[in-house]
Amino acid sequence: MVLKLRQIEAFRSVMREGSMVRASSAMAITQPAISYLISGLEKEVGFELFSRRGGKLTPTPEALQLMAEVNRLYDGLDGIKAAAQQIANHERATVRVLLTQALASGRIMNAIGQFAVAHPGLKLDVDVDHRLTIMHRISSAQADLGILSLPPVMEGAIATKLFDSELLCVASAPGFLHGGVNVAPADLDGIPVVGIKPGGVIRPMVENWFATAGVSPKFVIEVGDAGAAIELVRAGLGVTIVTSISLPEHQRAGLITLPLDPIQNFEIGAIVPLMQHPNRAAQALVESLRVSLKN
């Protein structure tokens, strides 16, 4: 016995609609085509499905029994369809996300949260790590998505720019800055500077900014991240140079912030492993972040 799906669909439609005419309309095929499919199904199963008396179509007891099995089958298919929709909407996926400390708060985390709200059931595993560690774990496929300042070249990963972040000079007292609209290297000649330790992208940019102007910075203390540098400056220890993303608006109270002259920008982006079958949910999150953070 070989039952064809189209025959089952025709049988189900006739049972649901109560007539060949309405079933043909529902399936968008002709009434003779419906009759042909039903006849073929009756030949396959070996019993009559409908009796036709006085112009009325009545299902046989065997048809009612068969319909119960058909409904059970279609309930299972509906379950498969629902599962497929959840998978398509990333609701059964897991995304392992790594961020640097400077990016693990504010607008980036808010954008990640918005994506999670739009995809209920998605499991997000978010950790903070050092930039070089993130690059290694992404290139070796130990994580699905890294968010960091983009490296110029990176093997084993695909990078997507999310937005530009500029460097800002931060002070707590007006006397450390000249009160203009920006800060040139000469303005910081002899001013105590809280420096970010080498190893990331900020320190080389700051050193090059000073060196191009022939100024030697006066680093009085070095710290591992921008948050620590900002708090030392807030306590009155000179100035520091950090990225704008490290100092959101709600944390600038009591601080003076000015852009550098010339302006120093670098790219914040997302990296995903270079794989034959990439994580679809991670790719969707990258696109969502790109759109949310472009302004």
Side-chain angles (χ1 to χ4, degrees):
M1 182 187 298
V2 180
L3 302 184
K4 297 180 180 178
L5 180 58
R6 196 62 169 167
Q7 293 173 336
I8 298 297
E9 290 176 341
F11 169 64
R12 186 168 182 254
S13 182
V14 173
M15 291 289 289
R16 185 173 55 242
E17 300 296 336
S19 78
M20 296 281 189
V21 174
R22 288 194 294 270
S24 66
S25 177
M27 292 186 65
I29 60 176
T30 64
Q31 184 177 342
I34 286 282
S35 298
Y36 175 78
L37 289 169
I38 295 298
S39 296
L41 181 58
E42 288 177 329
K43 290 179 181 178
E44 288 291 344
V45 298
F47 51 79
E48 187 179 21
L49 294 171
F50 299 96
S51 62
R52 299 160 182 84
R53 295 174 183 173
K56 185 178 180 180
L57 193 69
T58 304
T60 64
E62 292 79 9
L64 294 175
Q65 294 176 41
L66 181 60
M67 188 62 187
E69 292 301 312
V70 170
N71 285 335
R72 185 179 62 81
L73 171 64
Y74 272 82
D75 287 343
L77 292 177
D78 288 341
I80 294 173
K81 181 180 178 181
Q85 288 176 335
Q86 289 177 337
I87 294 170
N89 196 41
H90 317 302
E91 295 178 20
R92 295 192 176 192
T94 298
V95 181
R96 299 163 296 173
V97 182
L98 299 174
L99 305 91
T100 57
Q101 182 67 50
L103 304 178
S105 61
R107 51 195 291 235
I108 291 179
M109 288 304 296
N110 183 268
I112 292 174
Q114 291 179 23
F115 183 82
V117 169
H119 300 83
L122 170 68
K123 181 181 178 181
L124 285 173
D125 184 347
V126 182
D127 278 322
V128 174
D129 218 323
H130 297 291
R131 183 171 179 272
L132 293 178
T133 302
I134 292 174
M135 293 168 61
H136 169 71
R137 291 184 63 186
I138 293 296
S139 63
S140 59
Q142 297 178 40
D144 303 303
L145 171 61
I147 302 175
L148 70 176
S149 55
L150 288 182
V153 178
M154 183 176 172
E155 295 183 0
I158 300 173
T160 301
K161 175 183 174 180
L162 299 178
F163 60 92
D164 286 319
S165 183
E166 67 175 339
L167 292 183
L168 298 175
C169 184
V170 182
S172 61
F176 286 121
L177 302 177
H178 59 75
V181 296
N182 50 38
V183 175
D187 299 323
L188 300 183
D189 194 5
I191 300 294
V193 178
V194 177
I196 306 297
K197 289 183 178 181
V201 296
I202 296 179
R203 183 60 175 265
M205 290 181 66
V206 171
E207 290 182 343
N208 183 67
W209 180 69
F210 276 113
T212 301
V215 176
S216 297
K218 182 183 177 182
F219 292 117
V220 293
I221 189 170
E222 295 185 342
V223 295
D225 64 81
I230 291 168
E231 292 309 311
L232 288 170
V233 167
R234 197 186 297 276
L237 188 61
V239 303
T240 191
I241 298 174
V242 298
T243 66
S244 57
I245 194 68
S246 302
L247 189 59
E249 291 293 336
H250 68 275
Q251 293 183 2
R252 298 190 186 192
L255 297 174
I256 300 167
T257 60
L258 294 176
L260 304 188
D261 180 21
I263 293 174
Q264 304 292 308
N265 285 337
F266 63 93
E267 296 179 346
I268 301 296
I271 55 175
V272 297
L274 180 60
M275 303 173 65
Q276 182 178 1
H277 300 291
N279 186 317
R280 289 181 61 255
Q283 291 180 313
L285 176 54
V286 170
E287 180 59 21
S288 177
L289 292 174
R290 189 187 66 80
V291 174
S292 299
L293 300 171
K294 66 181 178 180
N295 296 323

